[in-house]
Amino acid sequence: MNMNPRVTQRIAFSALLFSTLLVMVPVGMVIVVILKQGAGAISWEFLSQMPRSGMRAGGILPAIVGTFCLVLGAVCFALPLGLLAAIYLSEYSKDTFLNRIVRLAIINLAGVPSVVFGLFGLALFVNFFGFGASILSGSLTLGIMILPVIITSSREAIDSVPQSFREVSLSLGATKLQTIRHAVLPHALPGILTGTILGVGRAAGETAPILFTVAAFYLPRLPGSIFDQVMALPYHLYVLSTQVPNVDSGIRYGTALVLLVIVLLMNAIAIAIRAHFRSKKKW
Amino acid sequence: MVSDARGPAVKIGVESLTVSFSGKPSLRDVTLDIPSHEILSIIGPANSGKTTFLKTLNRLIDFIPTSRVTGRVLLDGRDVREDDDPVSLRRQVGIIFALPVPLPTTVFENVVYGLRRQGKNGKKELDALAEKALTDAYLWDEIKDRLDEQAMKLSGGQQQRLCIARTLAVDPQVILFDEPCSALDPISTAKIEEAMLKLKKNYTIVLVTNNTKQAARVGDRTAFFLMGSLVEMGLTSRMFTSPRDKRTDDYISGRFG
């Protein structure tokens, strides 16, 4: 069949546009639904008080605090480790068999299902190292889960620093380590930061890795040390939705809204940082 | 190879230097002496090994993993490749690249970059050294009120002189220029050439250039490289009036390359 190329083009264009709009629908609906059902529950009391009467009333403060503790712990562990690994892989490693295996391992780490990380954390941190179900175990498990994100984005950031900066630095008599410290890392920092924040957003929203390693079912007090259990937003949401009968749906959606806002906020900060430094970048 | 009689004191002696990348030779058996306090111009068409030659002199070539270097490079009679650590060599042999690459920080921080890496941090000391380096690079008067501006904001010619100042601040003995004016307009080029002519009193200069006229204007001696080999080297005045090799004659008069 011979069709007018102009008509063909129109049809193709419409199909592409339609698909793109369709992608936006679920995102928009998630936000709208959660906002509509949860906004009513949000109040200062909801954010700042302990849960009461078997989580059917009161606030979600311990879950918010717990999530922040876990995320902070995960970053404290994963950022230094991931950044050092990224520096080694980008600046020092040569293309040997061993290094190709390491790179393959990192890619595969990103593909491991999160519940497997949870079981791994249970076996290694909770039982083998004897940390018990604690903030420490949960943070380490989440940290391992976000390592690939941090390593990959740090490597991209480091690799995108122009080679000429390194040559200039070395030619001025700087050592290789000084060159990395003063001519590479400062210019890779925005990218490293962006990747870290995206990792944090992911860590904040995951349920499976904290399921066996830290999350408390119902613990209406704030943690006192890193060996305490805590409640966490995603697990709290799971518990409210499946384990506790007769919960007011406002509390459920309110919890979901808080979690969603935290994760979206992280992403927004990452995007803002990237945009800010991209506009300042001059090479 | 044809060469004039030995000139004054030799700063850098190059003996049978051969460099290959992944087995492909880029420089073949180059032997030449670079005299102290002179400007040696190196001319030749693309892929004749000029930049490779420069990078061998201060061992930036070490960072190209596929490279293999044989032969000797003697700085004041000492083989530069004997040392495990090329850092002190690079402080003695500075390099200016074809495209000015200011680091994305202030003018001042660019000038003192090498000094800070040596552990010099005193404000007064750095101020004095920066002023001296910028003055020697003929940039101080233009820029003394703009030291805290981003270096990327300077014009191309100013950026290149900033790169020269940055190299001078480390107080090298030899400065390598790798086509330093290829991205510059004629006025900026003239300023760089003027700077080079004054700098040779205190430094030994090697200038790689694609511009044979520039070689004729500033070089005390000129070397002609072709396909990785040194064809001819001699006093510039002689090379450009009566080249001894036909290929040199052809290149200088623009019949090829």
Side-chain angles (χ1 to χ4, degrees):
Chain A
M1 189 180 77
N2 261 332
M3 248 166 73
N4 184 346
R6 198 178 273 240
V7 175
T8 317
Q9 172 153 313
R10 276 243 170 102
I11 293 172
F13 175 75
S14 312
L16 295 174
L17 181 65
F18 182 69
S19 307
T20 312
L21 292 178
L22 213 57
V23 169
M24 285 167 51
V25 170
V27 183
M29 276 179 35
V30 165
I31 293 175
V32 167
V33 168
I34 302 271
L35 252 181
K36 205 170 150 199
Q37 309 242 30
I42 302 293
S43 65
W44 177 243
E45 194 199 5
F46 185 67
L47 296 176
S48 67
Q49 291 204 349
M50 298 292 164
R52 288 191 314 269
S53 10
M55 295 181 267
R56 289 183 191 86
I60 55 167
L61 180 66
I64 297 176
V65 171
T67 286
F68 270 106
C69 290
L70 289 175
V71 161
L72 194 70
V75 169
C76 287
F77 164 69
L79 181 58
L81 189 66
L83 182 56
L84 293 180
I87 292 172
Y88 174 77
L89 288 170
S90 281
E91 299 287 333
Y92 285 97
S93 77
K94 303 198 172 72
D95 196 20
T96 61
F97 182 69
L98 179 71
N99 282 311
R100 258 176 278 166
I101 299 275
V102 171
R103 279 166 213 199
L104 200 66
I106 293 167
I107 293 169
N108 279 308
L109 198 60
V112 173
S114 55
V115 68
V116 176
F117 280 115
L119 277 173
F120 166 77
L122 174 68
L124 187 69
F125 301 123
V126 177
N127 294 329
F128 184 76
F129 286 142
F131 297 152
S134 62
I135 295 180
L136 183 61
S137 298
S139 292
L140 290 172
T141 309
L142 284 174
I144 289 178
M145 190 191 73
I146 62 171
L147 258 184
V149 182
I150 291 183
I151 293 178
T152 310
S153 57
S154 298
R155 283 202 60 195
E156 268 167 26
I158 289 170
D159 290 345
S160 74
V161 174
Q163 196 58 32
S164 55
F165 290 7
R166 297 177 181 82
E167 278 197 333
V168 163
S169 172
L170 292 166
S171 77
L172 291 171
T175 63
K176 183 154 184 175
L177 193 63
Q178 288 176 332
T179 298
I180 293 169
R181 162 73 185 78
H182 296 281
V184 177
L185 284 187
H187 313 302
L189 203 59
I192 295 167
L193 226 56
T194 309
T196 306
I197 295 171
L198 290 176
V200 164
R202 169 133 191 249
E206 280 286 350
T207 314
I210 57 173
L211 198 56
F212 319 118
T213 53
V214 52
F217 185 80
Y218 178 54
L219 192 67
R221 60 182 165 82
L222 298 182
S225 85
I226 56 168
F227 293 105
D228 281 356
Q229 271 191 286
V230 282
M231 298 176 77
L233 283 169
Y235 183 65
H236 185 59
L237 186 57
Y238 165 76
V239 166
L240 286 179
S241 311
T242 62
Q243 311 290 310
V244 187
N246 309 323
V247 179
D248 175 31
S249 79
I251 293 189
R252 279 211 305 264
Y253 281 100
T255 307
L257 182 59
V258 171
L259 180 57
L260 191 69
V261 166
I262 289 176
V263 173
L264 290 184
L265 205 64
M266 299 279 187
N267 290 355
I269 292 172
I271 291 167
I273 290 178
R274 200 162 45 193
H276 176 69
F277 282 97
R278 201 170 275 169
S279 69
K280 273 177 64 181
K281 188 159 141 178
K282 289 176 206 73
W283 65 85
Chain B
M1 192 202 93
V2 197
S3 181
D4 291 297
R6 271 200 175 200
V10 174
K11 186 70 190 174
I12 296 182
V14 177
E15 296 172 5
S16 320
L17 185 66
T18 298
V19 180
S20 56
F21 298 108
S22 314
K24 221 175 122 252
S26 175
L27 270 185
R28 303 158 208 260
D29 198 25
V30 170
T31 299
L32 60 80
D33 287 336
I34 301 171
S36 217
H37 300 292
E38 280 193 11
I39 298 178
L40 169 68
S41 304
I42 299 181
I43 56 173
N47 291 321
S48 49
K50 300 170 303 211
T51 299
T52 303
F53 181 73
L54 288 191
K55 288 194 169 176
T56 311
L57 297 186
N58 70 350
R59 287 181 57 183
L60 275 183
I61 197 140
D62 291 13
F63 290 96
I64 305 173
T66 57
S67 67
R68 211 181 107 72
V69 181
T70 59
R72 299 210 298 168
V73 176
L74 304 167
L75 176 66
D76 292 328
R78 261 194 86 219
D79 194 335
V80 301
R81 298 204 297 118
E82 266 171 15
D83 235 327
D84 277 344
D85 180 15
V87 168
S88 69
L89 169 70
R90 297 209 189 98
R91 286 177 186 161
Q92 294 171 64
V93 183
I95 187 166
I96 311 292
F97 299 101
L99 292 175
V101 179
L103 296 170
T105 171
T106 61
V107 171
F108 183 79
E109 284 305 320
N110 264 279
V111 179
V112 301
Y113 183 90
L115 297 169
R116 283 204 196 276
R117 302 294 87 78
Q118 295 177 22
K120 295 194 173 110
N121 268 317
K123 176 93 178 74
K124 271 191 188 148
E125 187 189 15
L126 290 183
D127 280 347
L129 289 170
E131 176 171 350
K132 183 175 183 309
L134 285 166
T135 308
D136 289 347
Y138 295 91
L139 194 55
W140 177 252
D141 291 333
E142 282 170 56
I143 224 167
K144 60 184 174 210
D145 303 319
R146 300 174 62 188
L147 295 180
D148 292 326
E149 271 183 40
Q150 285 293 312
M152 302 261 184
K153 282 192 184 160
L154 303 182
S155 74
Q158 288 173 332
Q159 285 185 8
Q160 192 60 301
R161 277 177 285 150
L162 176 64
C163 294
I164 295 175
R166 187 167 71 179
T167 302
L168 294 177
V170 187
D171 195 26
Q173 296 156 27
V174 181
I175 307 175
L176 314 172
F177 287 84
D178 188 2
E179 298 175 33
C181 304
S182 55
L184 301 184
D185 65 275
I187 292 171
S188 301
T189 301
K191 283 185 181 162
I192 303 264
E193 288 180 5
E194 190 193 335
M196 279 193 278
L197 286 171
K198 297 216 172 128
L199 287 173
K200 75 173 181 181
K201 285 194 200 83
N202 297 315
Y203 305 89
T204 300
I205 292 176
V206 183
L207 165 69
V208 161
T209 176
N210 273 328
N211 181 344
T212 42
K213 287 190 183 124
Q214 183 173 56
R217 279 195 299 268
V218 299
D220 296 292
R221 281 159 216 271
T222 299
F224 174 53
F225 279 45
L226 185 62
M227 315 256 293
S229 299
L230 174 63
V231 174
E232 182 173 355
M233 173 171 161
L235 290 168
T236 299
S237 50
R238 201 272 301 153
M239 281 273 284
F240 279 84
T241 48
S242 53
R244 291 177 187 150
D245 194 291
K246 173 139 192 332
R247 290 168 295 174
T248 314
D249 192 16
D250 287 348
Y251 183 74
I252 289 171
S253 53
R255 274 195 283 275
F256 77 90

PDB file of all heavy atoms in Angstrom, chain A residues 83-84 86-87 91 154 157-158 161 166 177-192:
ATOM      1  N   LEU A  83      33.031   5.514  46.920  1.00  0.00           N
ATOM      2  CA  LEU A  83      33.839   6.553  46.286  1.00  0.00           C
ATOM      3  C   LEU A  83      35.280   6.078  46.107  1.00  0.00           C
ATOM      4  O   LEU A  83      35.882   6.240  45.028  1.00  0.00           O
ATOM      5  CB  LEU A  83      33.801   7.834  47.129  1.00  0.00           C
ATOM      6  CG  LEU A  83      34.556   9.027  46.561  1.00  0.00           C
ATOM      7  CD1 LEU A  83      34.070   9.352  45.160  1.00  0.00           C
ATOM      8  CD2 LEU A  83      34.399  10.247  47.457  1.00  0.00           C
ATOM      9  N   LEU A  84      35.837   5.453  47.146  1.00  0.00           N
ATOM     10  CA  LEU A  84      37.211   4.955  47.036  1.00  0.00           C
ATOM     11  C   LEU A  84      37.304   3.894  45.941  1.00  0.00           C
ATOM     12  O   LEU A  84      38.251   3.875  45.153  1.00  0.00           O
ATOM     13  CB  LEU A  84      37.683   4.394  48.379  1.00  0.00           C
ATOM     14  CG  LEU A  84      37.834   5.439  49.493  1.00  0.00           C
ATOM     15  CD1 LEU A  84      38.293   4.795  50.787  1.00  0.00           C
ATOM     16  CD2 LEU A  84      38.807   6.535  49.083  1.00  0.00           C
ATOM     17  N   ALA A  86      35.373   3.647  43.352  1.00  0.00           N
ATOM     18  CA  ALA A  86      35.219   4.315  42.055  1.00  0.00           C
ATOM     19  C   ALA A  86      36.526   4.974  41.628  1.00  0.00           C
ATOM     20  O   ALA A  86      36.915   4.921  40.456  1.00  0.00           O
ATOM     21  CB  ALA A  86      34.097   5.349  42.126  1.00  0.00           C
ATOM     22  N   ILE A  87      37.220   5.602  42.593  1.00  0.00           N
ATOM     23  CA  ILE A  87      38.495   6.242  42.266  1.00  0.00           C
ATOM     24  C   ILE A  87      39.486   5.187  41.788  1.00  0.00           C
ATOM     25  O   ILE A  87      40.170   5.365  40.774  1.00  0.00           O
ATOM     26  CB  ILE A  87      39.057   6.996  43.495  1.00  0.00           C
ATOM     27  CG1 ILE A  87      38.175   8.193  43.819  1.00  0.00           C
ATOM     28  CG2 ILE A  87      40.487   7.448  43.234  1.00  0.00           C
ATOM     29  CD1 ILE A  87      38.547   8.876  45.115  1.00  0.00           C
ATOM     30  N   GLU A  91      40.769   5.590  38.070  1.00  0.00           N
ATOM     31  CA  GLU A  91      42.071   6.243  37.945  1.00  0.00           C
ATOM     32  C   GLU A  91      43.250   5.274  37.992  1.00  0.00           C
ATOM     33  O   GLU A  91      44.314   5.568  37.468  1.00  0.00           O
ATOM     34  CB  GLU A  91      42.238   7.285  39.059  1.00  0.00           C
ATOM     35  CG  GLU A  91      41.203   8.392  39.026  1.00  0.00           C
ATOM     36  CD  GLU A  91      41.442   9.369  37.876  1.00  0.00           C
ATOM     37  OE1 GLU A  91      42.585   9.524  37.449  1.00  0.00           O
ATOM     38  OE2 GLU A  91      40.451   9.957  37.413  1.00  0.00           O
ATOM     39  N   SER A 154      29.608   7.731  40.675  1.00  0.00           N
ATOM     40  CA  SER A 154      30.892   8.361  40.971  1.00  0.00           C
ATOM     41  C   SER A 154      31.867   8.141  39.823  1.00  0.00           C
ATOM     42  O   SER A 154      32.612   9.043  39.448  1.00  0.00           O
ATOM     43  CB  SER A 154      31.482   7.780  42.255  1.00  0.00           C
ATOM     44  OG  SER A 154      30.653   8.036  43.344  1.00  0.00           O
ATOM     45  N   ALA A 157      31.006  10.430  37.045  1.00  0.00           N
ATOM     46  CA  ALA A 157      31.411  11.804  37.362  1.00  0.00           C
ATOM     47  C   ALA A 157      32.921  11.969  37.218  1.00  0.00           C
ATOM     48  O   ALA A 157      33.399  12.963  36.673  1.00  0.00           O
ATOM     49  CB  ALA A 157      30.970  12.156  38.783  1.00  0.00           C
ATOM     50  N   ILE A 158      33.676  10.982  37.686  1.00  0.00           N
ATOM     51  CA  ILE A 158      35.136  11.076  37.617  1.00  0.00           C
ATOM     52  C   ILE A 158      35.599  11.003  36.160  1.00  0.00           C
ATOM     53  O   ILE A 158      36.466  11.766  35.725  1.00  0.00           O
ATOM     54  CB  ILE A 158      35.772   9.953  38.456  1.00  0.00           C
ATOM     55  CG1 ILE A 158      35.566  10.231  39.942  1.00  0.00           C
ATOM     56  CG2 ILE A 158      37.256   9.817  38.149  1.00  0.00           C
ATOM     57  CD1 ILE A 158      35.948   9.080  40.849  1.00  0.00           C
ATOM     58  N   VAL A 161      35.405  14.252  34.052  1.00  0.00           N
ATOM     59  CA  VAL A 161      36.365  15.350  34.238  1.00  0.00           C
ATOM     60  C   VAL A 161      37.388  15.256  33.102  1.00  0.00           C
ATOM     61  O   VAL A 161      37.968  14.200  32.883  1.00  0.00           O
ATOM     62  CB  VAL A 161      37.075  15.245  35.604  1.00  0.00           C
ATOM     63  CG1 VAL A 161      38.159  16.303  35.723  1.00  0.00           C
ATOM     64  CG2 VAL A 161      36.072  15.385  36.728  1.00  0.00           C
ATOM     65  N   ARG A 166      43.922  16.526  34.246  1.00  0.00           N
ATOM     66  CA  ARG A 166      44.910  15.645  34.860  1.00  0.00           C
ATOM     67  C   ARG A 166      46.292  15.925  34.294  1.00  0.00           C
ATOM     68  O   ARG A 166      47.275  16.007  35.028  1.00  0.00           O
ATOM     69  CB  ARG A 166      44.537  14.182  34.618  1.00  0.00           C
ATOM     70  CG  ARG A 166      43.218  13.773  35.265  1.00  0.00           C
ATOM     71  CD  ARG A 166      42.874  12.327  34.935  1.00  0.00           C
ATOM     72  NE  ARG A 166      41.618  11.905  35.518  1.00  0.00           N
ATOM     73  CZ  ARG A 166      40.420  12.142  35.000  1.00  0.00           C
ATOM     74  NH1 ARG A 166      40.327  12.818  33.860  1.00  0.00           N
ATOM     75  NH2 ARG A 166      39.326  11.731  35.582  1.00  0.00           N
ATOM     76  N   LEU A 177      48.224  11.240  43.258  1.00  0.00           N
ATOM     77  CA  LEU A 177      47.222  11.363  44.317  1.00  0.00           C
ATOM     78  C   LEU A 177      46.768  12.819  44.466  1.00  0.00           C
ATOM     79  O   LEU A 177      45.579  13.105  44.604  1.00  0.00           O
ATOM     80  CB  LEU A 177      47.798  10.851  45.643  1.00  0.00           C
ATOM     81  CG  LEU A 177      46.772  10.628  46.752  1.00  0.00           C
ATOM     82  CD1 LEU A 177      45.776   9.554  46.338  1.00  0.00           C
ATOM     83  CD2 LEU A 177      47.456  10.235  48.051  1.00  0.00           C
ATOM     84  N   GLN A 178      47.743  13.758  44.414  1.00  0.00           N
ATOM     85  CA  GLN A 178      47.385  15.185  44.480  1.00  0.00           C
ATOM     86  C   GLN A 178      46.501  15.560  43.305  1.00  0.00           C
ATOM     87  O   GLN A 178      45.574  16.361  43.436  1.00  0.00           O
ATOM     88  CB  GLN A 178      48.650  16.044  44.455  1.00  0.00           C
ATOM     89  CG  GLN A 178      49.457  15.997  45.737  1.00  0.00           C
ATOM     90  CD  GLN A 178      50.752  16.780  45.619  1.00  0.00           C
ATOM     91  OE1 GLN A 178      51.306  16.915  44.534  1.00  0.00           O
ATOM     92  NE2 GLN A 178      51.231  17.286  46.740  1.00  0.00           N
ATOM     93  N   THR A 179      46.816  15.008  42.142  1.00  0.00           N
ATOM     94  CA  THR A 179      46.027  15.305  40.954  1.00  0.00           C
ATOM     95  C   THR A 179      44.585  14.865  41.137  1.00  0.00           C
ATOM     96  O   THR A 179      43.646  15.611  40.835  1.00  0.00           O
ATOM     97  CB  THR A 179      46.647  14.611  39.729  1.00  0.00           C
ATOM     98  OG1 THR A 179      47.953  15.137  39.531  1.00  0.00           O
ATOM     99  CG2 THR A 179      45.809  14.825  38.488  1.00  0.00           C
ATOM    100  N   ILE A 180      44.403  13.668  41.684  1.00  0.00           N
ATOM    101  CA  ILE A 180      43.044  13.182  41.914  1.00  0.00           C
ATOM    102  C   ILE A 180      42.339  14.059  42.940  1.00  0.00           C
ATOM    103  O   ILE A 180      41.192  14.469  42.759  1.00  0.00           O
ATOM    104  CB  ILE A 180      43.070  11.709  42.370  1.00  0.00           C
ATOM    105  CG1 ILE A 180      43.567  10.832  41.225  1.00  0.00           C
ATOM    106  CG2 ILE A 180      41.712  11.264  42.865  1.00  0.00           C
ATOM    107  CD1 ILE A 180      43.878   9.420  41.641  1.00  0.00           C
ATOM    108  N   ARG A 181      43.068  14.395  43.997  1.00  0.00           N
ATOM    109  CA  ARG A 181      42.467  15.153  45.091  1.00  0.00           C
ATOM    110  C   ARG A 181      42.118  16.589  44.683  1.00  0.00           C
ATOM    111  O   ARG A 181      41.081  17.118  45.045  1.00  0.00           O
ATOM    112  CB  ARG A 181      43.449  15.150  46.271  1.00  0.00           C
ATOM    113  CG  ARG A 181      43.237  16.194  47.350  1.00  0.00           C
ATOM    114  CD  ARG A 181      42.037  15.897  48.216  1.00  0.00           C
ATOM    115  NE  ARG A 181      41.807  16.985  49.160  1.00  0.00           N
ATOM    116  CZ  ARG A 181      41.234  18.136  48.848  1.00  0.00           C
ATOM    117  NH1 ARG A 181      40.820  18.355  47.609  1.00  0.00           N
ATOM    118  NH2 ARG A 181      41.057  19.068  49.752  1.00  0.00           N
ATOM    119  N   HIS A 182      43.004  17.228  43.900  1.00  0.00           N
ATOM    120  CA  HIS A 182      42.833  18.663  43.642  1.00  0.00           C
ATOM    121  C   HIS A 182      42.350  19.002  42.239  1.00  0.00           C
ATOM    122  O   HIS A 182      41.796  20.071  42.023  1.00  0.00           O
ATOM    123  CB  HIS A 182      44.146  19.406  43.905  1.00  0.00           C
ATOM    124  CG  HIS A 182      44.578  19.353  45.338  1.00  0.00           C
ATOM    125  ND1 HIS A 182      44.041  20.149  46.313  1.00  0.00           N
ATOM    126  CD2 HIS A 182      45.477  18.554  45.961  1.00  0.00           C
ATOM    127  CE1 HIS A 182      44.597  19.861  47.482  1.00  0.00           C
ATOM    128  NE2 HIS A 182      45.474  18.907  47.296  1.00  0.00           N
ATOM    129  N   ALA A 183      42.598  18.135  41.254  1.00  0.00           N
ATOM    130  CA  ALA A 183      42.209  18.489  39.886  1.00  0.00           C
ATOM    131  C   ALA A 183      41.051  17.635  39.376  1.00  0.00           C
ATOM    132  O   ALA A 183      40.455  17.957  38.364  1.00  0.00           O
ATOM    133  CB  ALA A 183      43.408  18.354  38.945  1.00  0.00           C
ATOM    134  N   VAL A 184      40.734  16.529  40.062  1.00  0.00           N
ATOM    135  CA  VAL A 184      39.667  15.663  39.564  1.00  0.00           C
ATOM    136  C   VAL A 184      38.453  15.702  40.489  1.00  0.00           C
ATOM    137  O   VAL A 184      37.362  16.091  40.075  1.00  0.00           O
ATOM    138  CB  VAL A 184      40.163  14.205  39.389  1.00  0.00           C
ATOM    139  CG1 VAL A 184      39.024  13.306  38.952  1.00  0.00           C
ATOM    140  CG2 VAL A 184      41.304  14.151  38.392  1.00  0.00           C
ATOM    141  N   LEU A 185      38.652  15.326  41.764  1.00  0.00           N
ATOM    142  CA  LEU A 185      37.499  15.190  42.663  1.00  0.00           C
ATOM    143  C   LEU A 185      36.665  16.468  42.823  1.00  0.00           C
ATOM    144  O   LEU A 185      35.435  16.382  42.807  1.00  0.00           O
ATOM    145  CB  LEU A 185      37.948  14.681  44.036  1.00  0.00           C
ATOM    146  CG  LEU A 185      38.283  13.190  44.095  1.00  0.00           C
ATOM    147  CD1 LEU A 185      38.550  12.757  45.527  1.00  0.00           C
ATOM    148  CD2 LEU A 185      37.170  12.349  43.494  1.00  0.00           C
ATOM    149  N   PRO A 186      37.287  17.654  42.958  1.00  0.00           N
ATOM    150  CA  PRO A 186      36.433  18.845  43.121  1.00  0.00           C
ATOM    151  C   PRO A 186      35.451  19.013  41.964  1.00  0.00           C
ATOM    152  O   PRO A 186      34.332  19.476  42.156  1.00  0.00           O
ATOM    153  CB  PRO A 186      37.434  20.002  43.148  1.00  0.00           C
ATOM    154  CG  PRO A 186      38.718  19.391  43.531  1.00  0.00           C
ATOM    155  CD  PRO A 186      38.711  17.994  43.007  1.00  0.00           C
ATOM    156  N   HIS A 187      35.869  18.615  40.768  1.00  0.00           N
ATOM    157  CA  HIS A 187      35.015  18.804  39.603  1.00  0.00           C
ATOM    158  C   HIS A 187      34.068  17.631  39.385  1.00  0.00           C
ATOM    159  O   HIS A 187      33.160  17.710  38.574  1.00  0.00           O
ATOM    160  CB  HIS A 187      35.882  19.059  38.374  1.00  0.00           C
ATOM    161  CG  HIS A 187      36.940  20.077  38.643  1.00  0.00           C
ATOM    162  ND1 HIS A 187      36.632  21.347  39.072  1.00  0.00           N
ATOM    163  CD2 HIS A 187      38.286  20.013  38.613  1.00  0.00           C
ATOM    164  CE1 HIS A 187      37.748  22.019  39.294  1.00  0.00           C
ATOM    165  NE2 HIS A 187      38.762  21.237  39.018  1.00  0.00           N
ATOM    166  N   ALA A 188      34.324  16.539  40.106  1.00  0.00           N
ATOM    167  CA  ALA A 188      33.428  15.387  40.003  1.00  0.00           C
ATOM    168  C   ALA A 188      32.392  15.406  41.112  1.00  0.00           C
ATOM    169  O   ALA A 188      31.413  14.663  41.070  1.00  0.00           O
ATOM    170  CB  ALA A 188      34.237  14.087  40.069  1.00  0.00           C
ATOM    171  N   LEU A 189      32.596  16.293  42.103  1.00  0.00           N
ATOM    172  CA  LEU A 189      31.762  16.291  43.299  1.00  0.00           C
ATOM    173  C   LEU A 189      30.253  16.383  43.031  1.00  0.00           C
ATOM    174  O   LEU A 189      29.483  15.621  43.607  1.00  0.00           O
ATOM    175  CB  LEU A 189      32.205  17.424  44.227  1.00  0.00           C
ATOM    176  CG  LEU A 189      31.841  17.238  45.699  1.00  0.00           C
ATOM    177  CD1 LEU A 189      32.452  15.960  46.233  1.00  0.00           C
ATOM    178  CD2 LEU A 189      32.308  18.428  46.504  1.00  0.00           C
ATOM    179  N   PRO A 190      29.816  17.306  42.146  1.00  0.00           N
ATOM    180  CA  PRO A 190      28.370  17.391  41.904  1.00  0.00           C
ATOM    181  C   PRO A 190      27.781  16.059  41.444  1.00  0.00           C
ATOM    182  O   PRO A 190      26.729  15.642  41.938  1.00  0.00           O
ATOM    183  CB  PRO A 190      28.243  18.443  40.799  1.00  0.00           C
ATOM    184  CG  PRO A 190      29.499  19.233  40.864  1.00  0.00           C
ATOM    185  CD  PRO A 190      30.559  18.319  41.377  1.00  0.00           C
ATOM    186  N   GLY A 191      28.475  15.379  40.539  1.00  0.00           N
ATOM    187  CA  GLY A 191      27.978  14.101  40.043  1.00  0.00           C
ATOM    188  C   GLY A 191      27.949  13.049  41.143  1.00  0.00           C
ATOM    189  O   GLY A 191      27.012  12.252  41.234  1.00  0.00           O
ATOM    190  N   ILE A 192      28.989  13.053  41.978  1.00  0.00           N
ATOM    191  CA  ILE A 192      29.046  12.086  43.085  1.00  0.00           C
ATOM    192  C   ILE A 192      27.892  12.334  44.043  1.00  0.00           C
ATOM    193  O   ILE A 192      27.206  11.417  44.488  1.00  0.00           O
ATOM    194  CB  ILE A 192      30.399  12.206  43.809  1.00  0.00           C
ATOM    195  CG1 ILE A 192      31.534  11.787  42.873  1.00  0.00           C
ATOM    196  CG2 ILE A 192      30.406  11.373  45.071  1.00  0.00           C
ATOM    197  CD1 ILE A 192      32.913  12.140  43.361  1.00  0.00           C
TER     198      ILE A 192
END
